[in-house]
Amino acid sequence: MHTWPPAAVPTKMSVQTELCCTVILLVLSKLVPAQYELHGYPPGYPDPEQEQYTPPVLDPDTPRIQLRLAGDKRKHNEGRVEVYYNGEWGTVCDDDFNIHAAQVVCRELGYVEAVSWSPSSKYGKGEGTIWFDNLQCTGTEKTLALCRSNGIGVSDCKHTEDVGVVCSDRRIPGFKFVNLLPNHVENLDIRVEDVRIRAILSSYRKRIPVTEGYVEVKDGGKWKQICDTEWTQFNSRVICGMFGFPGEKRYNARVYKMFARRRKPTYWDFSVNCTGTEAHLSSCRLGHANSSDTCTEGLPVVVSCVPGRAFAPTPMTGYRKAFRQEQPLVRLRGGAIVGEGRVEVLKNGEWGTICDDKWNLLAATVVCRELGFGTAKEALSGGRLGQGMGPVHMNEVQCSGFEKSITECLFNGEILGCSHEEDAAVRCNVPAMGFQQRLRLSGGRNPYEGRVEVLMERNDSLVWGTVCSEGWGIMEAMVVCRQLGLGFASNAFQETWYWPGEVSADQVVMSGVRCSGTEMSLSHCLHHGEHLSCPRGGGRKAAGVSCSETAPDLVLNPQVVEQTTYMEDRPMFMLQCAYEENCLSSTSGQVPANTYRRLLRFSSQIHNNGQSDFRPKAGRHEWVWHECHRHYHSMEVFTTYDLFTLNGSKVAEGHKASFCLEDSECDEGIEKKYECANFGEQGITVGCWDTYRHDIDCQWIDITDIKPGDYLFQIVINPNYEVPETDYTNNITKCRCRYDGHRIWMYNCHNGGSLSAELEQTFPGLLNNQVTHR
């Protein structure tokens, strides 16, 4: 309460002004750090101050309730709000429910804040009494029971109106589980501040990732072990899964018994009761009450996890076994970091997607474990990580959680009504490899940009330094953004004089970096090692990046190419503009104007299936005017066309500049944004496509000089990787081509990566548009 000095008598206006200012300052203090909270703070940015949890002190007449999140959850920190009162679990009606009520729910469950809430039983219909209706909360109440309502148990709602919430996945520091209903503790989810696997044996302490050790929970700000008297293999499976490991294995119990005798453990007050299908310990149930006094016959719980192949160090460091996928029937596409992406399954030699009807965390976890990751952090729906182009193979997937492959789960093969707008995706738990601590962005205006600085070993000590920018490009920038967990690269910079980095880190410590774009860490890319070579030096000319959470994804429609292919003989005098723009074969410059050129013509329908608009790299001021065709080129080479013999030798080629990058058509409900007319902005909106018709100049290959026979035809979009995309493997389209001297056919057209490896091998000598060298 604010107390005024005797001499100062506040006016109504001054009180309102002060209150207003106080509210504004409080809001600003929350917002300033909040803008980056979801993405984490790179090294060098101070973390926001975190409050410490203090248990609520409730009046004796306050109804005692317990809360939990239930239903068809996507993540452990979201679900239908359920209330335990008077010996029965029930639900909350969505009438008058708002974000303030969600805030009370989330904080009572031990989460920092509410992110959103959902009406109309989004997480499925609950059962039992609807305990609260017409809730009116301010957001500051210590328990939902203190919010105004019709009265506990007084409701005119049905379970179709059950409300759900999404909480921040960050726990309140020092949060301690307070059990107000001791007779019903086994019905509650586990709520602790943090969980970890702590390596105990010296041989495991040096290993990255940590795969074996004590399971410890942080409760009330203190780390505690768990008594193993009621511990099961299912519990170990869940622990390994949440730390990014697909499975668990046996360990040497004798060694740990000896260690426990030497140092007395501090036990948590409860046991754990998991079924083995949970994605996170927070979804398991609390077991019986426990303590250091009652665990006289037990030992601290130990788990030993099997890492996926991508995360297992070499056998020399002790790993002789790692999880290996039996058959590559599943893959992830379009994700920014390892372990996330659109789910695609292989069926009849063709990759296709999964419809998101009934898609849940259980099915997503089966996918994650199958791929050598841990459990799923999130099951995404609605094409959130981009749309596929092939068939939809599965719908209404239902898994028990113990399947070895998503293909073993029950599903509906009937996919009527399913479009790629409903493609399912996952975000998996992956092991903590420590990559993020060996890289930082310095000098940028926000955590998403800056000069790249790496931590390298020099003269037996670790030092921060810059990366030589010679040859630095978008693929290298992609790896940096992935390593920092900042999404996709939006730009790669070879000069960073405008970003004042750490002066002590000006020296170049890494040069000659060449990445394929798929590496988890910059250190995994090819580079010069200790033998540095960088004539330009570091400092102002060091490598830099800017990152973005989203990126476009261009995909050509192969059926349109197949259906629109034809041949045309056109006289040279009608090809003057095309000749000037280098769209004919080299022999065209040596022939008279009245001779004919034979052109292989077709249409290109280029879709943007990504998460953000495709914009040319160059700004408007850099576009090049072509007087003959009277248009601007925003990208000098946007697509390339090549004809190969069956053994992979190139016999003819063409290319298309992006003289008019625009939205020709869009999916239903999406408005066109880019139009070239009157020198308008160029680009392709998400959910739209740009059609280069077969009758446009340069939309061809000059085949005048080739002989009749069988060929392979290839189109590559964005061939020089000038614009970042979520996936470059699908930028290529390949076709079989037959030419008999009079007619030409295209058949078996498909996008790169859309067929099985065996079928792809029938197209020899063709690239898949994934960088291996430059």
Side-chain angles (χ1 to χ4, degrees), residues 294-307:
T294 58
C295 190
T296 52
E297 299 298 316
L299 294 166
V301 165
V302 176
V303 297
S304 186
C305 306
V306 182

Side-chain angles (χ1 to χ4, degrees), residues 535-548:
R536 301 179 65 185
R540 292 165 165 263
K541 294 188 176 177
V545 300
S546 61
C547 306
S548 169

